[in-house]
Each structure stands twice: as C-alpha cells, then as structure tokens.
Amino acid sequence: MQLPEAEDLLAVLTARIRQGISSDTAVVGIHTGGVWLAERLHRDLQLALPLGALDVSFYRDDFGQIGLHPQIRPSDIPFKVEGSHIILVDDVLYTGRTIRAAINELFDYGRPASIRLAALIDRGGRELPIAAQYIGATLEVPPAKMLALEKKADGKLDLSLYDKHQGNE
Amino acid sequence: MSNNPQLNKNGQLQHLLTTEGLPASILLNILDTAEPFVGVTERDVKKVPLLRGKSIFNLFFEPSTRTRTTFEIAAKRLSADVINLNIAVSSQSKGETLLDTVNNLSAMHADMFVVRHAQSGAAHLIAQHVRPEIHVINAGDGRHAHPTQALLDMFTIRRRKRDFHNLRVAIVGDILHSRVARSQIHALTTLGVPEVRVIAPKTLLPTKVERLGVHVYHDMAKGLKDVDVLMMLRLQNERMLSARLPSTEEYFKYYGLTPEKLALAKPDAIVLHPGPMNRGVEIDSVVADGKQSVILPQVTFGIAVRMAVMSILAGS
Amino acid sequence: MNIAVRNGRVIDPKNSFDRVTDIYIRSGKIASLGAVPPGFEARREINAQGLIVCPGLVDLSARLREPGLEYKATLESEMGAAVAGGVTSLACPPDTDPVLDEPGLVEMLKYRARGRNQTRVYPIGALTRGLRGEWLTEMAELHSAGCVAFGQSDRPLPNNRVLMQAMQYASTFGFCLWLRPQDVNLADGGVAHDGEVATRLGLAAIPVCAETVALSHIILMAKETGARVHLCRISSAEGVAMTRAARKQGLPITCDVAANHVHLSEMDIGFFDSNCHLVPPLRSLGDRDALRAGLLDGTIDAICSDHAPVDEDAKLLPFAEAEAGATGLELLLPLTLKWAAETKLPLVAALSRITGEPARILGVEAGHLTPGGDADLCIFDPDHYWMIEASTLKSQGKNTPFLGWELQGKVKYTLINGNVVYAD
C-alpha cells in the first residue's frame, strides 16, 4: 500500500499543534519514534520547557505475556510535571495501550494540569478509550501489518510497513 | 546434569544462582536493564508497576539485614509483595528440612525465592526442586556465589570505566572464604577483563585459584601496580581463630588499603567494597571516604541491579 | 540339594581357571568341575550358557545399618541387595549404633545374619571403645565373638600414641588393623578434595596430605610394631605411591579401593550432586588414574563397594550437610567389569580383585571354586545392560552417583552353601 511521506505529515502536525500551544507547554515523546517527532516539534515550535522522553516498558500491560523489552531506554522528564500542560507525542496511535502506559508513568512523576496527545498517524483499531487531539493523518493499515517510523542517516523521518510477527524494532 | 540449571530451554534466565556459566550476553543484559532502573530510583515516585501481583519470598537461612533490605526495597519498587522469612537454625532443628520449608512456601503461590544460606550449593538444591514457574535468586550460599553483588560491582565499574576490555582489576582479601570474590572473578573474566588479580596471603587463597583465570599476588605493592579497579573484601574474625592469620594489625599492615597503597594503582583507580566495612582492618577510613571510593554508589546501584534481575526473571 | 551348573564360562582367579565347563554341587560344597562325580544325580540344573560363573563376590566393606540405623536400611533389605549383587561374603564396619565394641553386639549381629542362610557376614570390630579413639576394646574377646579385624571405620584415627599401642596390642594376638588413612586435623571438616572443583564450588576441602600424613604415620608405626595393617579406601596418587613403597619394603600391608573411586573424580560433583559426597572424597582425575594403575600392578589388592545406604532426606541437603556415602553392593560387579573393559584387563585378573584377593585379606576360606570348598557362586550375564535406578536397586539406599547410568553385567543366580539364594 502507498504510504504518505513522514516529513509531510510532520509539517501538517506541527502546524496543527502550533495553534494550541502556550509558553508553558511541555512536550514529551514516547521512545523511540515519538521522541524523534518530539525533538523536531520542540525545535520547530521553540518551546521553552526542556524536552521530555518516556520509555513505557515498565508500565506496559503485556509484561506477563512477552516479558521485558530487550532494549529499555531511560525515561527523562527534566521539568516539573506537577501542574504542567503536556503534549504527549507518539508516532503511531493504534490500540491505545502504549498511551495508557505513558499516562500512568507521567502520573508517577506528578499530577499534570492537562495532557494532550499528538500522533503522526492514527491507524484506528482502538482497544481502550483513547483519542488524539492532534493527528498528522488517518490511515487504514491491514491488521497483519505494523507501521513504524525510521530516522534516516540525514536525520529525515520515514514511514515503513512490516509484517507483525517478524523481527521487531 | 549437563544442562545449565540457570537457563530454561529457550536459553533465557530462569534462575540466578551464580555468575559462572552465564554467557556475557546475559550478564550485559542485566547491566543494560539496570540502567533505566537507576533512573527510577532517582525519581520522587520510585515505583513501577512491573511486578504487581507477584509474591517474592526472602528466604534467609543466614541472617543479614542489609542484603535482605536491598532485596526487599528492590521488590517493593517493582510493586511486588514481599514476604520475609528469617529461618533461624532452630526451626530446622525442629525437623523441617530445607526442602520441606521450600515446598510449604511453594504451596503459598510464591513467584520468586530470594535465598541466602550458610552452605554452598543451597540455592542450586532449591532451584532443582521448585515448581518450574518459581524463580530462584541466590543471595549468597556459603562460600560459593553471590551473583547480585558481583553484578552490581560490574555495573559500578562500567559506570565509571565504560569498557571492560581495557582494565586491570585486583581483588584483595580473603578469597578462600568469599562467595563475593568467586562471583566477581567469573563475571570479570566472562565480560572480557584482560587481567584479574587476587592479592592475599597464602592462607587465604583457595587451591588452584589460578585455574579460575586469575593472577596470584602475595605482595600488595606488586599486585596493585597500574590497577584500574580495586575490589576489597571483608576480613572476618574467625580467620584469627582458625589460625590462618595472626592478627588484624598485621593483616592491615600488609594487606589493608591505605592511601599510600592506593597511590600505587592508577591515579584514576576506583575502590569497591561489598560492605559492611571493617575500617582499619581491610581498608583505611581515608580511602573508604575518599574521592576514589565508589562504595556508596554501589549501594544505590545494588537496588537497580536487583530490580533488573527480578524483572528479567519474572518476564521469562 | 545336588545342583549342576552347565555350560558356563567358569572363571576362578585363585586357581587361574578360565574355561567353559560344568560345575557339580553336592551337600553345599563344590563336588567337581568338568567331570560328573560318581553317583551324582542333579536335583536342579542351572543353564549357564552365555553366562560367567565365578566365586561368590567378597566385599570388604558393606554397611548393613543394624544395629541402630534401621531407618536407613535393614539387615533384610541389605542382605537382599548383597545376593542380588552376587556378594556371598562381606565385611561390615563397626560404625553401627551402638558401635561394635562389645562381644554381645557382635554375636547378635552374626546371629541375625546367619539365621537367614544368606551372605556370610564378617564383622570388623571397633579398635577403640565407641570408636572414640581413647580406650582399647577387648580385641581378643571380640575376635572370639567373630570379628576378623579391627578398625575405626570413618571415625578419626586415635592419636599416634594410642594408635601405636593399639597396633602393639593387636599384633600380640596376630590381629589385623583396618585403617582408613586420614589425619583428622588436616581434614578439618572438609567435604571435598582440595582441588579445582572445591575451589570453584566453595566447598571445605580435604587436602591430599590428610591422607599421606596419616599414611606415613601408619606405615612407620606398623614397621616399628610389626603389626598387620589393611589400608581402607585409598584415594590419592601420592597415597598409592607410598603404599607401593611400603610394600616394596616387605611390610605386611594390604590395601583396597572403593569401586566408585575407580571410576569417578571430583569433576563428577557437577552442580553439587550430593550422591558424590563420599568418604574419602573423589579426588582429581590424576588421582583416579593412579588408583587404576595401583589396581593393575597389585599395589591395591581389592575393590570393595563401601556400601552405605543413606535415606533420601539425608541426601536432599546442601552438599556439605548431606550424609556421605553411596549404596554399592549391587554395583560392585558391574563397576569392576567396567574397569576391566576400559583397561582391557582379562576377566580372570579383574575378578580376582573382588573374589580371591579380598578373601585373602579377610583371612577366610572364600573367593574360589576349589572342589571340596563351600559352594558360593556368582553366575552373571556379562552382556546384560541394566539401568541403575530406584526401581532396579534392592538396597533401601538409592544413593549412588551412577543413578541413571546404564551398566553392563547383571547377576542371574547367586548360590551360598549350594543353595540358590537369588535368581533374577
């Protein structure tokens, strides 16, 4: 199937978010694709508060089935979560379980005033009542396929499709 | 008995009993997994929900407040339920065997046993006889092994020194009676440390220790030359009683770590100690509290490493 | 009953005999080999085609656990194991509860054993009261009650003064001392050989010098007193060398090795297998090879089982706390055959180590098939492979390092006094 250009979608997403931010908005990306996006947003939107990054491995709901993820990156929230307005950023919004885990993790850092969700692609298929406020594009993806964001050597972002039960990111 | 009792048939870690016989990839995986847990221990909310609903039983047949406490903290930070059992020797003399105790506890839906015992091989014995779903962590068995201590030492070394492949490491003290030393030696050699030295008088060295892959020194000055990492061991009073050493004074003079002896090592050498320290016996206070000492960070890292071990086991 | 054992390969090491022939048994004795005795009519015929017929095995050390240790095993179960293993004579060590240091206890044991028309039991009497190493026992009285020698079993040797005096007293009567050479202070609570494995596993260790130092004391004092000494369960290369040197000097010293030590080493401990917790400990491969060489050149006269049944609970403990010992009556034959096969030793030589030689050391008429002698026979299938497991062992002790191994050689019939006491 034909995939849209990630850079184009990012431009759309950035424009949509620009209207909703203020001087105290914080951006937190979810590893790994969400962090790449959040880095670009943080730069392009010139946000004052430092960028946050979350690894949700310790908050996932599938630990009992698949165990620990092989590569866990440290989470880093260098601003005060208590009372903050956060935009959570992920690359692909699908079942909503990753976002649920990210919200739980954020709350362990403090009580935010608000959390909004920005996703490059919404592929539907929600299993939890989660919705994104900012979306790059909606895309229907066959259930057996997974969508992933990649960062090329020159720093540009790219979307790719792979089979669900192959080797993972 | 040729299968590795620590690995399941998929090659995943099923029990952590000893650092011996584990491939470098498994040891490194534990160290890598411990990194984000350090971050967790530095947050305000030091808990993650990873092991919620799991029951971890601390079976301490040999008393130890500090080790038991670090395991308890690690388990609680993973949101697990912790049950502490200090099984005094007297309850065993009431006729309940080691395995009876373990079987009774298994029936209480334990997910993990953390075992400390005065006899070498106790953790292996327990691991052989528990139900397949239960994981066993060896918190120290006799003189044989103390894998989590060695792993937190490796983590500490990696934090400060980055690459194992360039290091000269010296372990000083009572190697003969030390489960920590044995586990450290296996971990260091597996991780590719090119030179591991043991420094001790002959009465404190086990037979054929060089077969473990170490260089033996009796002269501390020679042994510490150009060393990057010093791992000090605790000296116990029993050694004088069993006629292995004449006095702590003489031991300190020839094998204790003083600033002068530390100066023989590399200027950026780091000093580790598993604790608790006997100040003035194996280590001088100036060194223990000095800037080359990483003894305090070892404690913090110990919690993160134990969280990593429990998470990896519970997820396998 | 008149019995004819037909077409077996009869191997009698003492008489240098190795031939397929028939054996005729009458009135509990061997009537003849080969030729039918005049007027002989067989009431029973045993077809021994394809089987080996040798003298009933003589085992220099088998614990029957009575009196006192009946929760580990009983006389009945262990005598059953003995005949299943082809053992028709055995010596039992004095470390029962109470210790065999009183004539009454010895008589009781002999009575209980004799009453079953089973394996002949030759008690080794305690050398010191309670095996405590302080007071001498009434050796002459114990000898009259049936003790064939005196020893300390696995308990510590007495101090040198007491040991030397015990030697002098025993040699007054011509008695033999059976001594396991181990210095209690050098052994110091060790549970494994002082080598690479004990170092890795963190086990308290017994150095070789615990054996050699004790050996040197024993040998020097034996020389001085003229006492006859049998060295029990030699375990090290150095120990074999010292024994060889002592025998070259013409000293009246004999020596045995346990069957497990002929095959196993410290490496077999693996991940703390408590079935390998043995006394003396399993030593290095080099020591094991020296034991095998010692058996070949006759420095070591005999192989024994060192049978020690241990209840399961006592083995399901961390290595050092597990009770030492292995069940062995039923493995003496297959382990001896395994050694013979591996060293390409003719059976007539190998079997001597478990028939004629131990009988000579015991000083009893056994271990040979001479006409006129007692009809104690072991008839076995040398090609029968069998799995060593709890269900195939008759002993109450299932504790052997060979659990799960398949060994070659199984007893088909055991005869004592011309009676078939065991048939597979």
Side-chain angles (χ1 to χ4, degrees):
Chain A
M1 60 181 275
Q2 179 77 343
L3 291 176
E5 287 298 325
E7 289 293 332
D8 296 340
L9 293 182
L10 182 53
V12 167
L13 190 60
T14 310
R16 288 182 177 157
I17 294 175
R18 195 183 297 275
Q19 297 165 12
I21 57 165
S22 64
S23 59
D24 60 358
T25 302
V27 145
V28 175
I30 300 176
H31 273 298
T32 344
V35 171
W36 295 328
L37 291 167
E39 281 166 352
R40 296 282 295 275
L41 286 169
H42 188 267
R43 198 186 68 202
D44 295 341
L45 297 169
Q46 292 171 312
L47 296 171
L49 286 171
L51 177 64
L54 274 184
D55 185 299
V56 300
S57 301
F58 297 149
Y59 291 79
R60 293 172 65 100
D61 61 12
D62 56 4
F63 174 71
Q65 286 84 37
I66 65 174
L68 264 188
H69 196 275
Q71 268 180 314
I72 303 169
R73 291 169 187 72
S75 295
D76 178 31
I77 310 292
F79 58 88
K80 200 171 74 147
V81 168
E82 190 77 18
S84 60
H85 295 278
I86 295 176
I87 298 184
L88 200 51
V89 184
D90 203 5
D91 48 5
V92 180
L93 176 57
Y94 185 18
T95 61
R97 292 177 187 274
T98 302
I99 307 303
R100 194 279 314 160
I103 294 174
N104 272 71
E105 184 166 356
L106 273 178
F107 270 78
D108 270 353
Y109 282 85
R111 184 183 178 279
S114 71
I115 301 180
R116 285 169 287 170
L117 177 61
L120 197 66
I121 303 261
D122 179 349
R123 68 174 278 189
R126 220 71 86 235
E127 291 173 2
L128 296 175
I130 302 275
Q133 285 69 32
Y134 306 105
I135 293 180
T138 306
L139 200 63
E140 224 179 88
V141 180
K145 300 277 188 190
M146 294 299 285
L147 251 188
L149 195 66
E150 279 158 12
K151 195 173 182 180
K152 294 190 293 207
D154 60 2
K156 295 235 182 294
L157 297 171
D158 208 21
L159 275 172
S160 70
L161 206 59
Y162 63 94
D163 287 325
K164 199 171 210 169
H165 295 292
Q166 269 176 3
N168 247 295
E169 13 142 32
Chain B
M1 273 277 220
S2 51
N3 299 325
N4 191 328
Q6 302 191 83
L7 304 178
N8 64 21
K9 54 177 163 26
N10 300 324
Q12 294 172 304
L13 201 63
Q14 164 88 357
H15 304 294
L16 181 65
L17 306 173
T18 168
T19 47
E20 187 184 5
L22 290 178
S25 57
I26 290 202
L27 298 183
L28 289 169
N29 182 36
I30 295 172
L31 300 188
D32 291 339
T33 306
E35 286 286 351
F37 282 120
V38 176
V40 171
T41 63
E42 288 167 354
R43 290 190 328 203
D44 282 345
V45 174
K46 303 188 193 314
K47 255 192 183 195
V48 296
L50 210 55
L51 262 56
R52 211 180 56 189
K54 303 273 187 205
S55 297
I56 297 181
F57 286 64
N58 279 333
L59 298 184
F60 276 59
F61 294 87
E62 197 185 53
S64 158
T65 312
R66 58 168 29 220
T67 307
R68 189 174 52 73
T69 308
T70 45
F71 274 104
E72 187 173 346
I73 293 174
K76 286 187 168 157
R77 289 197 181 160
L78 292 168
S79 302
D81 297 320
V82 179
I83 291 96
N84 286 314
L85 290 139
N86 288 327
I87 299 153
V89 176
S90 65
S91 82
Q92 288 216 273
S93 69
K94 282 183 193 143
E96 194 174 63
T97 65
L98 173 62
L99 290 181
D100 280 342
T101 308
V102 168
N103 288 333
N104 288 338
L105 294 172
S106 302
M108 296 182 204
H109 300 291
D111 294 289
M112 208 174 284
F113 288 135
V114 176
V115 180
R116 170 169 280 203
H117 198 284
Q119 291 294 340
S120 301
H124 271 78
L125 181 66
I126 292 175
Q128 261 180 280
H129 287 90
V130 290
R131 286 198 326 265
E133 318 83 70
I134 300 182
H135 306 283
V136 176
I137 298 179
N138 184 6
D141 63 328
R143 301 178 195 177
H144 171 236
H146 195 356
T148 58
Q149 177 67 47
L151 285 165
L152 78 88
D153 291 339
M154 297 305 114
F155 186 87
T156 307
I157 293 172
R158 191 169 79 159
R159 270 282 178 119
R160 284 296 199 96
K161 296 290 179 185
R162 299 275 109 222
D163 188 5
F164 289 107
H165 296 91
N166 292 330
L167 298 179
R168 229 177 239 117
V169 177
I171 305 175
V172 185
D174 187 358
I175 316 289
L176 175 58
H177 297 95
S178 174
R179 52 190 172 215
V180 171
R182 284 174 175 80
S183 286
Q184 287 169 339
I185 291 170
H186 294 308
L188 290 165
T189 51
T190 302
L191 290 170
V193 170
E195 196 177 332
V196 181
R197 300 179 179 177
V198 293
I199 304 175
K202 290 184 184 180
T203 45
L204 296 181
L205 285 171
T207 305
K208 295 197 163 78
V209 68
E210 62 280 358
R211 300 281 196 105
L212 299 180
V214 301
H215 301 265
V216 176
Y217 288 80
H218 304 302
D219 183 339
M220 196 172 179
K222 293 205 177 96
L224 287 185
K225 194 164 182 312
D226 295 330
V227 157
D228 300 285
V229 179
L230 287 78
M231 305 179 91
M232 307 306 295
L233 298 174
R234 182 181 155 72
L235 186 75
Q236 289 173 309
N237 281 327
E238 293 90 85
R239 309 305 159 230
M240 272 57 75
L241 289 172
S242 61
R244 288 190 188 271
L245 292 177
S247 68
T248 53
E249 289 76 18
E250 185 150 292
Y251 179 80
F252 183 67
K253 184 164 177 203
Y254 288 87
Y255 295 96
L257 187 60
T258 57
E260 295 71 40
K261 299 226 193 91
L262 180 55
L264 297 166
K266 291 231 181 85
D268 59 349
I270 54 175
V271 177
L272 287 82
H273 192 300
M277 286 185 283
N278 284 323
R279 291 163 182 267
V281 176
E282 66 260 7
I283 189 167
D284 189 287
S285 278
V286 173
V287 175
D289 303 326
K291 59 178 173 54
Q292 287 173 263
S293 159
V294 293
I295 296 173
L296 279 180
Q298 275 178 282
V299 178
T300 316
F301 298 152
I303 297 176
V305 165
R306 282 157 181 140
M307 288 171 79
V309 169
M310 290 178 175
S311 305
I312 290 170
L313 289 176
S316 72
Chain C
M1 195 196 299
N2 288 359
I3 300 183
V5 180
R6 298 216 181 272
N7 292 316
R9 177 181 166 195
V10 178
I11 303 183
D12 181 2
K14 184 159 182 220
N15 291 315
S16 303
F17 193 98
D18 183 354
R19 203 154 67 229
V20 175
T21 187
D22 301 331
I23 296 186
Y24 297 94
I25 294 168
R26 180 165 55 195
S27 307
K29 306 276 182 201
I30 295 182
S32 75
L33 277 73
V36 183
F40 183 94
E41 262 184 49
R43 269 277 297 281
R44 179 169 177 178
E45 300 238 336
I46 293 179
N47 178 6
Q49 181 142 40
L51 304 179
I52 292 179
V53 182
C54 70
L57 307 188
V58 179
D59 192 346
L60 293 182
S61 178
R63 284 169 180 80
L64 304 174
R65 299 304 192 192
E66 276 189 31
L69 299 160
E70 288 89 351
Y71 63 95
K72 295 188 181 301
T74 59
L75 204 62
E76 185 162 351
S77 64
E78 301 321 293
M79 300 291 258
V83 295
V87 173
T88 56
S89 300
L90 63 84
C92 65
D95 58 357
T96 47
D97 181 17
V99 153
L100 288 178
D101 61 1
E102 294 263 315
L105 294 167
V106 176
E107 278 154 12
M108 171 74 99
L109 176 62
K110 291 213 69 154
Y111 173 74
R112 277 179 56 68
R114 191 183 311 132
R116 284 161 167 73
N117 195 24
Q118 297 257 44
T119 303
R120 301 169 202 278
V121 173
Y122 296 99
I124 309 294
L127 186 66
T128 60
R129 299 230 198 119
L131 293 173
R132 282 188 294 273
E134 294 159 1
W135 295 67
L136 299 182
T137 52
E138 293 178 322
M139 288 184 229
E141 291 298 296
L142 286 168
H143 178 78
S144 300
C147 289
V148 297
F150 301 92
Q152 286 285 108
S153 186
D154 291 332
R155 303 287 168 84
L157 294 171
N159 70 45
N160 285 334
R161 177 187 59 79
V162 173
L163 184 56
M164 181 142 162
Q165 286 166 194
M167 285 185 183
Q168 286 171 329
Y169 191 75
S171 67
T172 304
F173 298 91
F175 300 148
C176 184
L177 282 88
W178 284 33
L179 302 171
R180 200 169 73 74
Q182 179 155 293
D183 182 285
V184 63
N185 290 311
L186 288 170
D188 192 29
V191 297
H193 166 62
D194 190 12
E196 196 177 334
V197 173
T199 289
R200 269 196 308 108
L201 296 183
L203 293 171
I206 304 176
V208 164
C209 66
E211 177 166 286
T212 52
V213 164
L215 250 185
S216 70
H217 293 172
I218 292 169
I219 290 170
L220 288 169
M221 291 193 290
K223 191 169 176 187
E224 183 118 347
T225 59
R228 283 169 50 222
V229 171
H230 173 70
L231 299 168
C232 303
R233 311 319 101 72
I234 205 84
S235 72
S236 70
E238 270 294 305
V240 173
M242 288 175 71
T243 307
R244 190 177 284 123
R247 294 178 67 146
K248 265 213 182 78
Q249 290 180 50
L251 294 173
I253 287 178
T254 53
C255 179
D256 73 51
V257 67
N260 287 320
H261 292 65
V262 175
H263 293 287
L264 304 173
S265 75
E266 57 180 346
M267 313 296 264
D268 292 288
I269 295 177
F271 297 113
F272 300 99
D273 183 1
S274 60
N275 281 329
C276 288
H277 184 175
L278 301 175
V279 151
L282 293 168
R283 295 198 184 273
S284 72
L285 285 167
D287 292 309
R288 185 204 62 177
D289 292 344
L291 293 173
R292 288 162 86 111
L295 266 175
L296 268 182
D297 73 12
T299 302
I300 304 176
D301 304 273
I303 304 173
C304 69
S305 70
D306 208 17
H307 179 77
V310 174
D311 51 300
E312 196 186 7
D313 280 345
K315 281 293 189 184
L316 280 179
L317 289 170
F319 191 92
E321 287 179 336
E323 189 174 320
T327 191
L329 279 166
E330 299 157 84
L331 286 94
L332 180 61
L333 177 67
L335 288 179
T336 302
L337 295 176
K338 183 169 151 69
W339 163 65
E342 286 167 2
T343 46
K344 300 202 188 350
L345 189 65
L347 280 179
V348 67
L351 290 175
S352 74
R353 306 293 192 267
I354 53 177
T355 54
E357 290 299 286
R360 176 176 60 83
I361 290 168
L362 265 182
V364 300
E365 268 307 311
H368 57 86
L369 297 173
T370 316
D374 292 326
D376 290 354
L377 275 69
C378 169
I379 304 174
F380 67 90
D381 181 352
D383 299 318
H384 183 139
Y385 283 89
W386 56 295
M387 178 71 82
I388 310 296
E389 50 195 4
S391 57
T392 56
L393 291 172
K394 297 267 186 304
S395 164
Q396 240 176 273
K398 312 298 181 188
N399 52 306
T400 163
F402 291 94
L403 261 184
W405 287 56
E406 220 183 29
L407 292 180
Q408 197 177 358
K410 196 150 202 313
V411 174
K412 294 293 165 188
Y413 301 94
T414 304
L415 282 76
I416 297 179
N417 273 334
N419 294 305
V420 177
V421 295
Y422 174 79
D424 187 17

